[in-house]
């Protein structure tokens, strides 16, 4: 079931979208402001975000920037702002589509399906990734050269490989791999990243693919 996070400060919009999306077998969560949206996205990991730009605390474009700092999940803007510059700003920030209010629900749902299809194609393209001297098959869970990984190593590596070039925050990795109760256990990550570098980097002491961003997180550099 596809998980959709709907972010809007209009209760009637939230209610209408929740009803219509749930009726079509989507799993739905809602947020009424930008701070709640970023927190919910980090904890719930939706497959797609529907985002209003005119939020009471953080502008929607800043929310897009916040999401794009660590995830490539599709973002569909649903906004009353009809100006071309608003659309340009949202799309340049990383939104995948832009729907103007008022909107027809059937067209909106068609946009959701189209964006989801494009995301699925992108996922397929990411299935096989070159990491140093090895090819990692994320679908078949195999690595060339006979490299073996533990389940935890796989989990960490897959998150990094699915976000090439992007900083993946420590907190996100810890929450995703070990749960909310371990967000301060950064030594877990240091230990596992050291193990991954021994398996993939030609010189683990001077990594060129699995990079540490001190105090912030980690980055996969193709």
């Amino acid at each position: 079931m596809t998980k959709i996070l709907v972010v809007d400060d209009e209760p009637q919009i939230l209610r209408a979208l929740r009803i219509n999306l749930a009726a079509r077998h989507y799993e739905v969560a809602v947020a009424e402001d930008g701070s709640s949206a970023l927190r919910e996205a980090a904890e719930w990991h939706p497959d797609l975000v529907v985002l209003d730009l005119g939020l009471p605390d953080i502008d929607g474009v800043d929310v897009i920037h916040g999401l794009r700092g660590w995830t490539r999940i599709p973002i569909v803007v649903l906004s009353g702002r009809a100006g071309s510059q608003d659309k340009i700003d949202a799309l340049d920030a990383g939104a995948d589509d832009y729907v103007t209010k008022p909107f027809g629900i059937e067209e909106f749902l068609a946009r959701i399906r189209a964006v989801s299809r494009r995301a699925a194609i992108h996922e397929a393209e990411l299935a096989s990734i070159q990491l140093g001297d090895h090819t990692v098959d994320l679908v078949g869970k195999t690595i060339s050269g006979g490299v073996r990984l533990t389940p935890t190593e796989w989990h960490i590596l897959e998150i990094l490989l699915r976000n090439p070039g992007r900083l993946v925050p420590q907190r996100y990795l810890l929450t995703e791999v070990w749960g909310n109760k371990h967000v301060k256990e950064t030594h877990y990550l240091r230990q596992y990243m050291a193990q991954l570098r021994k398996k993939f980097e030609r010189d683990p002491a001077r990594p060129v693919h699995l990079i540490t961003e001190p105090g912030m997180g980690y980055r996969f550099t193709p």
Side-chain angles (χ1 to χ4, degrees):
M1 181 180 291
T2 300
K3 297 162 63 176
I4 296 182
L5 173 61
V6 181
V7 187
D8 202 301
D9 63 340
E10 298 182 45
Q12 63 272 30
I13 294 288
L14 289 180
R15 182 174 182 276
L17 289 179
R18 189 204 295 267
I19 291 172
N20 279 281
L21 290 169
R24 289 157 176 85
H25 308 292
Y26 292 104
E27 186 176 354
V28 185
V30 299
E32 296 182 358
D33 57 55
S35 299
S36 300
L38 292 171
R39 184 168 57 251
E40 186 74 15
E43 295 176 357
W44 191 54
H45 309 310
D47 300 302
L48 184 143
V49 175
V50 175
L51 176 67
D52 183 24
L53 295 184
L55 300 173
D57 59 341
I58 304 174
D59 188 79
V61 171
D62 292 327
V63 174
I64 297 172
H65 282 299
L67 291 170
R68 284 291 174 256
W70 60 271
T71 181
R72 293 178 179 271
I73 57 172
I75 300 171
V76 177
V77 170
L78 181 61
S79 178
R81 301 179 186 175
S84 60
Q85 190 58 51
D86 293 307
K87 296 179 181 179
I88 291 169
D89 290 344
L91 294 170
D92 281 348
D96 296 272
D97 202 351
Y98 196 108
V99 179
T100 304
K101 299 176 182 177
F103 60 96
I105 190 65
E106 292 302 329
E107 178 187 351
F108 173 73
L109 292 169
R111 299 283 191 99
I112 293 288
R113 293 192 295 271
V115 167
S116 297
R117 285 194 297 271
R118 292 199 295 270
I121 293 171
H122 179 68
E123 283 289 302
E125 292 172 346
L126 284 177
S128 183
I129 297 176
Q130 193 69 26
L131 174 50
D133 298 325
H134 302 278
T135 300
V136 182
D137 182 346
L138 295 178
V139 176
K141 300 291 186 185
T142 60
I143 303 170
S144 66
V147 175
R148 303 281 184 178
L149 299 184
T150 67
T152 300
E153 288 172 341
W154 262 114
H155 201 167
I156 295 170
L157 185 65
E158 183 168 359
I159 293 171
L160 293 172
L161 295 188
R162 290 188 181 279
N163 293 278
R166 293 181 179 274
L167 172 67
V168 181
Q170 290 179 346
R171 185 183 182 90
Y172 175 76
L173 280 167
L174 288 165
T175 301
E176 179 70 10
V177 178
W178 287 283
N180 293 327
K181 295 182 180 179
H182 299 278
V183 294
K184 296 183 179 180
E185 309 293 343
T186 55
H187 61 281
Y188 288 3
L189 286 175
R190 287 196 296 272
Q191 176 185 342
Y192 277 97
M193 288 301 295
Q195 294 171 193
L196 287 170
R197 287 181 181 127
K198 288 179 182 178
K199 296 179 178 182
F200 290 104
E201 297 281 1
R202 291 183 179 180
D203 183 355
R206 296 177 177 82
V208 296
H209 300 295
L210 302 174
I211 307 299
T212 299
E213 299 289 351
M216 296 185 291
Y218 298 90
R219 190 190 309 271
F220 162 56
T221 301

